[in-house]
Structure formats: C-alpha cells, structure tokens
C-alpha cells in the first residue's frame, strides 16, 4: 500500500477530478480512504475539493472521531455516511460522494437508474437505486444507504447526489464516473424519443460475462434473487429491489408460516 502522504495526494487528485468534471460545485462532495482497521483519511468539511493539498486531509477513527487534523480543518460533515459504508462493507477501501449533474437530476426526479441501455453500465453497475432522502450530516443518510450496501457499489441519494465505494480510490471514483455517464446517456436517449433497452437475454449474457470476469464488489448479477433464479436481472424491480437474499429468505419464511396457519 502507498504511504499515507501518497494517499493524501491521491485524495487531492481525485478531488480535483470531481471538481474539474463538474461533479461537484463550490465546496461540495467528500472522499475517504481506509488505511487500517481503525484509521481513515478523509477530506475536510467546507473546502473546495478541487483545490486541496495533502495538509488539508484529516485522519479519523472508525467512529469518525478525529485522530489528526491540521489547524483550521475538520473532517467532512458526512463522515458518518462514509463510516457506515466501511462498517457494513469490509471489502471497501474508499468512498466517494459527489453531486454529478445528471445523476443528481435523476435523484431529484426520483428516477432510479434501472433501464438496461448499454453493456458497460450493466456490467459495471447493474442498476443504481435511490436511497431515501435524509438530512445531510445526520444518521438519516447512513440509515437510508445501509439498505442497499450489500447489493450495490453505487447509490443515488434522493434529492442530494450520489455515493460510490470500492476496494480502491481509483475504482470508487470510476464507479462515480460510470454512474454519471449512465445517467447522461439515459437522459439523452429519453430526449431522443426514449431508449431502446437491451433485451432480457442480452442482460443475462452481460451478467454471465461479469461473473466470468470475476469482477469484485457487489452487483445484482451475483446477488439479485431474480438473477439467481435465472430471471434476467433486477432491472425489472424499478429500483425497489434491494437484491438482498436475506430479505427474500425472510419473505419466503413469512409466506411459509402464513400458509401453515391457513392450512391448519
Ligand atoms: P463537506 O464539505 O462537509 O464534506 O460536505 C460537502 C457535501 O457535499 C455535503 O453533502
């Protein structure tokens, strides 16, 4: 693993990218990287993520408490959201939060990214659900996001923005780029009369390819009960599918018990 100073520089580079690409305005967005089980580097609150230098970066523990921060810098106001991702997804080493224009537009319109319109988005993301609105900086956003963590590597945040996470900072950033690109394409194709969606069989084939590649992270191809049952994907769930096999087990158990009672 790169040394701490190198990671701080990488965080600054990614901050500049999300700012330069218009994925954040002003002081918006935040980034964090896990460096050990109880040490995380994160962007400070209230600064433009496009103009950071390594001394801006703060270090916190797994509860989001400050371990080290230079004078004038405090950890991101959204640190609880980042920490929830690390807590519930031990495979994650980096989290990126941004407000990309098109993806955030969909999050504001309440439209999850579920239409299968291009192979790369289907393979990289599957679909992107919307986590219910929460007040920034409170536990409401972590609680809303939690529901989707076991099935996806990116979520939209209702009326707010997007969140992506992965095993490396570059990969988490790439997922944010993929979410925004998917949202832009979906928006444009809607203007052009509506997208021509990939067929169920085409989606199924892409899911198989993803499995063959052994791609890391959580993805409906590996987890969605529909996909497991040989049905095409979670794309038909309108973004409401949490693709959580425990949920589907629970529903199955409840159904079994209700039927048992009815048959008595
Ligand atoms: P911070 O500057 O506190 O990280 O907050 C930015 C933001 O985008 C909140 O959603």
């Amino acid at each position: 693993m790169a040394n701490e100073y190198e990671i701080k520089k990488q965080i600054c580079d990614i901050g500049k990218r999300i700012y330069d690409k218009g994925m954040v305005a002003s002081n918006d967005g935040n980034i964090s990287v896990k460096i050990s089980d109880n040490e995380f580097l994160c962007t400070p609150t209230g600064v433009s993520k496009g103009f950071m230098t390594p001394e801006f970066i703060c270090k916190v523990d797994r509860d989001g408490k400050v371990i080290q921060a230079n004078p004038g810098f405090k950890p991101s106001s959204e640190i609880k959201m980042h920490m929830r991702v690390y807590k519930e997804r031990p495979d994650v080493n980096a989290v990126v939060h941004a407000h990309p224009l098109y993806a955030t537009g969909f999050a504001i319109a309440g439209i999850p990214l579920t239409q299968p319109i291009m192979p790369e988005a289907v393979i990289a993301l599957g679909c992107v659900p919307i986590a219910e609105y929460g007040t920034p900086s409170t536990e409401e956003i972590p609680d809303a996001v939690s529901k989707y963590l076991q099935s996806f590597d990116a979520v939209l945040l209702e009326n707010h923005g997007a969140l992506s996470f992965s095993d490396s900072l570059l990969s988490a950033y790439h997922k944010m780029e993929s979410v925004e690109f998917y949202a832009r394409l979906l928006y444009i194709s809607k203007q052009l009369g509506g997208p021509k969606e990939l067929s169920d069989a085409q989606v199924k084939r892409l899911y198989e390819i993803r499995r063959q590649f052994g791609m890391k992270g959580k993805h409906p191809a590996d987890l969605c009960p529909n996909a497991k049952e040989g049905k095409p994907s979670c794309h038909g769930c309108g973004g409401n599918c949490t693709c959580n096999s425990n949920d589907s087990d629970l529903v199955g158990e409840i159904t079994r018990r209700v039927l048992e009672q009815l048959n008595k």
Side-chain angles (χ1 to χ4, degrees):
M1 197 192 204
N3 70 35
E4 216 171 288
Y5 188 73
E6 281 302 317
I7 298 168
K8 287 180 179 177
K9 283 207 300 197
Q10 288 165 9
I11 293 174
C12 298
D13 285 349
I14 296 297
K16 181 162 163 39
R17 270 174 200 270
I18 60 171
Y19 183 77
D20 288 350
K21 277 183 160 273
M23 290 177 157
V24 288
S26 180
N27 295 339
D28 297 349
N30 28 72
I31 301 165
S32 67
V33 172
K34 179 178 180 174
I35 54 172
S36 77
D37 282 348
N38 196 31
E39 289 174 305
F40 303 81
L41 297 176
C42 70
T43 50
T45 186
V47 307
S48 171
K49 289 17 176 232
F51 298 90
M52 297 184 301
T53 51
E55 58 276 15
F56 282 40
I57 307 301
C58 305
K59 195 197 276 189
V60 295
D61 67 13
R62 66 165 75 90
D63 298 319
K65 301 259 157 50
V66 181
I67 295 176
Q68 194 273 325
N70 286 327
F73 297 105
K74 283 197 294 192
S76 167
S77 59
E78 299 285 17
I79 196 67
K80 293 187 187 101
M81 171 173 76
H82 291 242
M83 290 304 135
R84 184 69 73 89
V85 179
Y86 294 116
K87 188 172 172 208
E88 297 187 8
R89 283 285 301 273
D91 59 312
V92 164
N93 291 318
V95 177
V96 174
H97 166 53
H99 304 161
L101 203 60
Y102 289 82
T104 306
F106 277 88
I108 290 170
I111 304 170
L113 307 176
T114 58
Q115 289 179 269
I117 55 165
M118 67 172 310
E120 286 77 5
V122 170
I123 291 179
L125 300 164
C127 37
V128 185
I130 303 180
E132 296 67 24
Y133 180 76
T135 309
S137 84
T138 70
E139 290 290 346
E140 290 171 16
I141 298 182
D143 288 348
V145 163
S146 168
K147 180 174 160 194
Y148 301 97
L149 287 177
Q150 299 311 319
S151 312
F152 301 93
D153 285 349
V155 291
L156 300 182
L157 307 175
E158 191 174 19
N159 287 83
H160 183 165
L163 185 69
S164 61
F165 27 94
S166 193
D167 61 333
S168 74
L169 178 54
L170 189 60
S171 173
Y173 165 72
H174 278 156
K175 282 179 199 287
M176 185 61 75
E177 261 193 358
S178 298
V179 168
E180 178 61 353
F181 201 66
Y182 180 9
R184 278 172 69 190
L185 286 172
L186 193 53
Y187 179 84
I188 290 166
S189 57
K190 280 174 185 281
Q191 304 307 303
L192 295 171
K196 189 169 138 311
E197 290 185 9
L198 297 172
S199 70
D200 287 350
Q202 287 166 332
V203 171
K204 199 171 164 196
R205 181 79 191 101
L206 294 169
Y207 275 25
E208 274 162 26
I209 288 172
R210 182 182 158 101
R211 288 189 209 107
Q212 278 163 20
F213 283 173
M215 287 168 74
K216 292 183 194 164
K218 306 278 184 180
H219 185 283
D222 308 320
L223 299 152
C224 178
N226 278 353
K228 272 194 195 161
E229 285 166 21
K231 292 179 198 161
S233 67
C234 74
H235 291 278
C237 304
N240 292 320
C241 173
T242 57
C243 295
N244 187 326
S245 49
N246 292 334
D247 279 357
S248 73
D249 291 345
L250 185 65
V251 171
E253 179 61 16
I254 292 168
T255 310
R256 194 183 60 73
R257 289 195 193 178
V258 169
L259 287 173
E260 245 174 43
Q261 293 298 317
L262 288 174
N263 288 335
K264 268 186 183 170

